[in-house]
Amino acid sequence: MKLDRRNFIKLMVGGAVGLQVTPLPWKITDDIAIWTQNWPWVPVPAEGAYDHEASVCSLCPGGCGIEVRKVDERAVKVEGREDYPINPGGLCPLGMGSLQLLYNEDIRFTGPMKRVGPRGAGVFQNISWDEALEILSGRVNVLRRDSRPEAVAAIDGNPVESTASLLIQRLMQTIGSPNYLRVPSFEDTDRMVNLLMQGVDGPVAYDLENADFILSFGCGLLEGWGAPGRILGLWGKWHDRENKRKPTVVQVESRASNTASKADQWVAAAPGTEAALALGIAHVIIKDGLYDREFIEQKTFGFHPWNAADWKEHQGFQGLVLSEYSPRKVQDITGVPAERIVSLARSFAKAKAPIAIWGKGKGDLNGSLYESMCVHSLNALVGNINKPGGVLVLDRLPLKQLPETPLDPIAEAGLKKTPVGAAAGEDSPFAANLLTRFNEALSAGGPSPVELLMVFGANPAFTMPDGGSMRRALKAVPFIVSFSPFRDETAFMADLVLPDHMAFEKWSEIIQPRGVQYPLYGLGKPVVKPLYQTQDAGETILKLARRLDKAAPEAFPWKTFEDIMAYRAEGLFEAGAGLVRYKPAQPPWSWKPFAEPAAGFKSSKDMWQKIKASGLWYQPLDHQRAAMTTFKTPSGQFEFYSTRLEMKLKDLNKAPSSDLVCMPHYAPSSPPSDSSRYPLAMVPYDMVNLVSSWLPNPPFLNKTLLPEQLLKDASYAEIHPDTAKAYGLKQDDLVQVESVAGEVRVRVCLFEGAMPGVVYLPFGLGHTAYDEFSRNKGVNPNDIIAAGADPLSGLPVWWKTPVQLNKV
């Protein structure tokens, strides 16, 4: 056939049509697909019977109920439980992506290991559990024989009052070391607010379900604050068109976060001035007479001026606020117009159930204690404490206390030694052992006072501020033991790794989920068999304790870690109330008369078995019980002036220099710096789809990041266009952000929602460990955060660092 233009076209068209009608290409495609499924590195879905396991997520303090779908023995999906009160059906992105943490050998340790490469390189050699325990117990025993048990230290990231945490403290007591340290968290600040103003050493509880006006001081309600499953579910209900009880949400935040953008009102106060704004609002409420007079007169102390027993005159909260925090003065501090402050105060005070909440971002990191006290003062002014829609005063859960730890002479002598970096007391009267001061002591040079450091449930090399001060401290410790299930930055510094199970492979507790307004004990159970040669850290501690020379054997009489949890849960039974099964039709926040648990369980053992099945014990709210709750301050009232703090200072022979020391007030929180050299402020921020705690980020979540948040290996700083213009910067320019603590390089993202003069960096990026999806992706803001110390707690304050900006 002659191949002219006409025949060429006919040939091509015919070929195209032929390809459409012949099965050959489709058969080839199908064969290729089948062939690729047989590649050894391609995950193949499991085959087998479908099953579901109900449990509780312990990856964050939220404690959401989860249902794990399984095919055969492999977990394939995690969903929120409808039959759990915290998060009826809801779940956060971390919970949904959590199986990627379970089935990922690149980020998990698969068994006990010892270091064989340089520190930080992550080069380890497999060893047996017996060898690992022999190495660790041998080192502890040598220090005890040398009468130096205080050379052992432990850093604990487990939840406060959890059995795992108590067991670590008990181990340290048995060894004889006073160097037990906790990773600082916002829960510490919350508990101090409760203790100083309400006299209760427990968590702060918010009845958001019944509030009609929510004044949020930086809380990332849509960024994972509190119990994320609860808050995300609530937000959905608030915006349901059929919901006639939609509360007004006001977000105080300098940046247009997701929460600020979707709130009813966004109040952009300058970062670090939130306390002044709260007192400006208080000024209007008091001046206009909008406060709850009955509550103020009958249930508070320190509102009015008074004369003390020594005839000293005290101004009182009312006098302080009216004299120092007028809307005009507060406008100058915060940048919020005075008229806006007046309007906001009147709207808040006139609402039926207003509530002011605090805890920036996800509510993980410490902030100013005085700032939190200022915000909580608003709740007292409107009298919305122990009422529907208000703040609830909760005692600790009635868990049974462990028996006193029996000590041998070595332990008794060691516990009398001064802890490394112990808080001075006078400048931080409520601080115990502070991890930041521990770091300073270790980094000071000379022989390390700590020879053996154990790290549980934490990754302080990544999560602590001050430009890697923790990493410098770790380098000074001769021997480090990590109990992390993950190949994180701190574990890479370890000499010995005794990996814990991942959360889905073990029993784990939630002791009062963060921010939840009714007492709740959650229990997560193993939903799959352990995949690797890991071991529950609780069991590891029990085995280690049995190898300690001369230590009192009766210190750990329990056979298993579960036995200890069951022992403590007896206290819930002895409390005489509580439910172990949740009925969605009777939510615990409905404030209906409390049902007796007669039908719930017959004995302590029966109750424990039911808790293991349902994953919870809880007490619904009721008016009668709330009315019986009293403030446990020295005055027996809600205290605007903390008499407990005053007495504490007097015990330290340091009387308060002024009333301000014991009262909520505004004080600039930034660490001192040269404003000519560091003219800008750096404020970190949280994202709901980026894990910022000690855990790794599920790789799928990285795919949800926008190109202006992470592009290849570069992360971005959000900067207002006016600020960028002043520095001659444009979108995607590479810049160096420098503080007194260090420097990082990021690209510029021009963002109208950024406050001029402020640089915003996201938490959760900048890992140097884990797998290819996390390692060397972006920068870690903690590397340049110069966290000042809170004057009362001594804890680091994360949220504002002076910086300068240079184009690279």
Side-chain angles (χ1 to χ4, degrees), residues 629-649:
T629 304
T630 58
F631 299 114
K632 297 177 181 176
T633 55
S635 67
Q637 296 176 309
F638 179 94
E639 292 192 348
F640 286 105
Y641 180 96
S642 175
T643 55
R644 187 183 300 275
L645 176 56
E646 181 186 49
M647 289 190 292
K648 180 77 173 181
L649 291 171

Side-chain angles (χ1 to χ4, degrees), residues 17 35 38 45 56 79 112 127 145 249 394 415 428 467 478 503 638 654:
V17 172
W35 176 54
N38 291 322
V56 178
E79 300 171 295
I127 57 176
R145 286 176 203 144
V249 179
L394 293 184
L415 290 173
S428 304
F638 179 94
K654 189 176 182 180

